[in-house]
Amino acid sequence: MKEKFIKFMEGRYGVDGFARFTMGVALVCIVVSIFFRNGSTMGAILNTVGLAAIIYTYFRMLSRNIQKRYAENQKYLSMTAKIRQRFRKEKNMMEQRKTHHIYTCPSCGQKIRIPRGKGKIEIDCPKCHTKFIKNS
């Protein structure tokens, strides 16, 4: 059975970032529609949008027009690049907080990373060369 599925998916586009996003949108729409009363127009609209997103996602995943699906994904990635970069930066800062203090220069706003456990130290800003004292 696994071999048949692999054979079926040969030459098809598959899952990418845009497909994961559209599936997430579909899931959110369907879950939110549950909280509306039975027979409400908004619940029906959200269910329809969720179903349409699922159908579109599967259409993209099973498509053999790889160049067009790749172009769609690249457009999605370029539109969301700043948002994804911001989340990546925040995640990186949260991981570094375990081993380093991150201070902001009082005069220019430059972020400076100082290792933890060094006691009271004088920090020299690499950008504006302002000196300030902080505990590490």
Side-chain angles (χ1 to χ4, degrees), residues 33-121:
S33 73
I34 293 171
F35 295 107
F36 288 96
R37 287 186 305 151
N38 290 343
S40 78
T41 308
M42 188 56 123
I45 290 172
L46 286 172
N47 270 332
T48 305
V49 168
L51 182 62
I54 290 172
I55 290 170
Y56 179 67
T57 303
Y58 275 101
F59 164 75
R60 287 189 77 251
M61 288 174 13
L62 299 175
S63 174
R64 290 185 184 260
N65 191 349
I66 293 174
Q67 289 80 19
K68 192 168 184 180
R69 302 292 90 81
Y70 179 77
E72 291 170 354
N73 189 47
Q74 290 303 314
K75 186 175 180 181
Y76 163 76
L77 291 175
S78 67
M79 288 172 48
T80 59
K82 288 184 181 180
I83 296 168
R84 288 181 295 110
Q85 182 181 10
R86 175 72 180 177
F87 278 111
R88 215 174 305 125
K89 186 177 178 182
E90 289 299 322
K91 180 182 175 188
N92 189 22
M93 295 228 345
M94 292 310 277
E95 288 173 353
Q96 288 182 14
R97 288 189 190 276
K98 295 174 187 170
T99 58
H100 294 81
H101 280 287
I102 299 173
Y103 294 113
T104 304
C105 176
S107 62
C108 69
Q110 173 74 32
K111 292 192 176 184
I112 304 162
R113 191 176 74 139
I114 305 297
R116 287 184 179 267
K118 301 292 183 187
K120 191 176 253 189
I121 57 172

